């Protein structure tokens, strides 16, 4: 079963704009990860944020984590057409040590 | 460095036929995972191996699915017999496995199975 949900389900923006995706989850976690999946390719790990961290940056990516609200957000700044993909959050469950994925946000960046 | 290798990339079979998927993880990765990803959904874990041992197969439909990782490296996932609802992408992933709370997984390209 899916751990949580991403919001929005789909997002369309122009190149250069910022894209924000949200993830909500249900149980206590060790960490939360974001993955990207391009059409026809496997998932690629983007960034990991630990449960005791609140914000993390990697290049054009900014991730926040609010454990009190059981939510996370992924911000992609200055988007490019190559950012077009599905983005999944995945939580590493404290009790089961299992990585559980959300339902994904499909991002379309128009040139 | 080679990533996770899976084959075949695509497979089309008729229902009730058997099918097998193969995965070669990243060298040195002790932990291997098989996931199933339905259209429009995130991946769901089927089974996790630590070396040769299946440590979590709670989501594997054992009446028709089986998996093995005999030498703690390559793994195969088998479905026999396949049903229409098995159509999905089957993803293999691997990780170092330690530390246990840092679980970055590396995914292969997947096998897209279509059951007719």
């Amino acid at each position: 079963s899916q751990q949580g949900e991403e919001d929005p389900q789909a997002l369309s923006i122009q190149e250069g704009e910022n894209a924000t995706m949200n993830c909500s989850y249900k149980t206590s976690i060790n960490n939360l990860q974001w993955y990207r999946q391009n059409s026809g390719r496997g998932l690629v790990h983007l960034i990991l944020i630990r449960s005791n961290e609140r914000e993390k940056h990697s290049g054009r990516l900014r991730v926040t984590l609010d454990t009190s609200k059981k939510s996370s957000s992924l911000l992609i700044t200055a988007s490019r057409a190559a950012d077009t993909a599905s983005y999944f959050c995945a939580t590493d469950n404290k009790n089961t040590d299992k990585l559980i994925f959300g339902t994904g946000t499909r991002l379309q960046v128009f040139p | 460095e080679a990533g996770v290798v899976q084959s075949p990339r695509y497979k089309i079979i008729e229902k009730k036929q058997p099918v097998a998927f193969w995965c070669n993880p990243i060298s040195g990765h002790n932990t291997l995972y098989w996931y199933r990803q339905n259209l429009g959904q995130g991946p769901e874990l089927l089974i996790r191996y630590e070396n040769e041992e299946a440590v979590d197969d709670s989501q594997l439909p054992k009446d028709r699915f089986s998996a093995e990782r005999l030498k703690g490296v390559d793994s195969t996932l088998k479905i026999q017999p396949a049903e229409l609802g098995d159509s999905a992408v089957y993803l293999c992933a691997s990780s170092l496995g330690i530390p246990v709370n840092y679980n970055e997984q590396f995914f292969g390209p997947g096998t897209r199975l279509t059951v007719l």
Side-chain angles (χ1 to χ4, degrees):
Chain A
S1 62
Q2 307 283 175
Q3 157 75 293
E5 296 182 358
E6 278 91 335
D7 168 54
Q9 289 188 342
L11 180 62
S12 295
I13 58 174
Q14 295 291 130
E15 259 190 335
E17 293 180 339
N18 296 340
T20 299
M21 289 160 266
N22 303 296
C23 167
S24 60
Y25 59 93
K26 298 173 184 174
T27 62
S28 296
I29 61 173
N30 289 318
N31 61 63
L32 185 144
Q33 305 177 37
W34 285 90
Y35 285 79
R36 180 184 66 213
Q37 186 175 39
N38 296 100
S39 176
R41 295 184 60 184
L43 288 111
V44 174
H45 180 265
L46 294 176
I47 194 166
L48 178 150
I49 186 165
R50 300 183 192 278
S51 60
N52 62 353
E53 297 176 313
R54 292 297 167 257
E55 187 171 313
K56 201 161 185 181
H57 297 253
S58 176
R60 294 183 297 112
L61 305 180
R62 172 177 167 257
V63 169
T64 63
L65 178 64
D66 187 336
T67 53
S68 66
K69 295 181 179 179
K70 291 187 168 57
S71 67
S72 173
S73 68
L74 171 67
L75 169 68
I76 304 174
T77 60
S79 64
R80 305 167 182 168
D83 294 329
T84 294
S86 290
Y87 292 81
F88 294 90
C89 68
T91 51
D92 196 342
N93 189 291
K94 246 181 191 176
N95 296 323
T96 67
D97 190 33
K98 184 182 297 189
L99 200 61
I100 300 179
F101 287 81
T103 51
T105 292
R106 281 157 288 287
L107 174 66
Q108 175 81 50
V109 182
F110 292 99
Chain B
E1 180 184 326
V4 177
V5 180
Q6 289 187 250
S7 69
R9 290 293 307 275
Y10 304 91
K11 189 74 177 179
I12 301 174
I13 61 172
E14 293 188 345
K15 64 181 181 182
K16 300 184 181 179
Q17 294 299 306
V19 65
F21 314 122
W22 176 80
C23 172
N24 182 241
I26 292 173
S27 177
H29 282 194
N30 298 322
T31 308
L32 183 145
Y33 313 77
W34 282 103
Y35 289 86
R36 177 170 58 192
Q37 185 176 22
N38 293 312
L39 188 65
Q41 298 292 316
E44 294 186 315
L45 182 69
L46 292 174
I47 189 168
R48 173 167 68 104
Y49 281 94
E50 297 288 346
N51 298 304
E52 305 88 3
E53 183 182 0
V55 296
D56 184 355
D57 63 356
S58 57
Q59 299 290 97
L60 190 73
K62 298 181 183 63
D63 57 335
R64 297 183 300 106
F65 285 65
S66 64
E68 60 183 14
R69 193 185 185 200
L70 292 176
K71 296 183 179 179
V73 181
D74 294 6
S75 176
T76 56
L77 177 69
K78 298 177 182 178
I79 309 174
Q80 183 171 9
E83 297 179 352
L84 294 176
D86 295 331
S87 294
V89 176
Y90 291 83
L91 295 166
C92 178
S94 69
S95 71
L96 284 171
I98 52 173
V100 71
N101 64 345
Y102 181 72
N103 192 8
E104 179 181 350
Q105 299 180 21
F106 297 82
F107 284 80
T111 296
R112 182 176 297 277
L113 173 67
T114 301
V115 182
L116 303 175

